[in-house]
Amino acid sequence: ADATAKAPKTARTYYHELDPTYFSATSKTFIGQIYSSFGLVNIADAASKADDGGYPQLSAEYIVAADPDMMFLADVKCCQMTSASVGARAGWASLKAVTSGGVVELDDDIASRWGPRVVDQYRAVAAALSEVPVG
């Protein structure tokens, strides 16, 4: 079932980028559960397959078609991704997340190495949500 079809119209959609080859994490993963606790709807859920362990590789076309409200980049330190570099990708300049300031540059260590840092991840998501308008 398509999770976005069941989401209320006010629920914000998001894409969590693990690396520049579009690997992501679904709501079934630990990081996905953090976003779900804020009521966010994950665009990767519908693309997940039984054998990907909750970490599907999406395509640029899939992400553009989903047009997420928010993008969380967990590949800032490792891969030098920024909101500007994401906005410069072919076809991405008009995406809602890009035009509304919804591309969030996360600290890779906080977004990928949990433990006591998980509190910092919650704070980073909460701060991003408070700064980006809904709709």
Side-chain angles (χ1 to χ4, degrees):
D2 182 0
T4 55
K6 295 179 184 174
K9 297 257 186 252
T10 56
R12 289 193 253 189
T13 58
Y14 77 95
Y15 161 59
H16 178 86
E17 181 169 285
L18 293 170
D19 69 22
T21 65
Y22 312 123
F23 271 96
S24 192
T26 67
S27 298
K28 294 179 182 176
T29 63
F30 182 78
I31 191 71
Q33 291 175 15
I34 291 175
Y35 294 115
S36 293
S37 72
F38 287 98
L40 296 171
V41 176
N42 192 334
I43 67 163
D45 288 351
S48 186
K49 305 212 176 0
D51 64 351
D52 65 23
Y55 295 93
Q57 184 174 22
L58 308 179
S59 68
E61 296 80 10
Y62 179 89
I63 297 163
V64 168
D67 195 11
D69 298 305
M70 305 283 297
M71 291 186 196
F72 294 92
L73 306 179
D75 53 358
V76 174
K77 289 181 181 178
C78 73
C79 310
Q80 294 73 52
M81 290 297 108
T82 64
S83 56
S85 66
V86 167
R89 292 174 180 169
W92 290 44
S94 62
L95 292 180
K96 283 183 270 186
V98 173
T99 61
S100 70
V103 180
V104 181
E105 298 170 11
L106 297 172
D107 180 321
D108 299 17
D109 292 330
I110 292 171
S112 301
R113 296 180 182 170
W114 306 295
R117 292 181 182 99
V118 74
V119 175
D120 295 326
Q121 178 67 15
Y122 271 97
R123 287 181 179 144
V125 174
L129 292 174
S130 69
E131 293 172 8
V132 178
V134 177

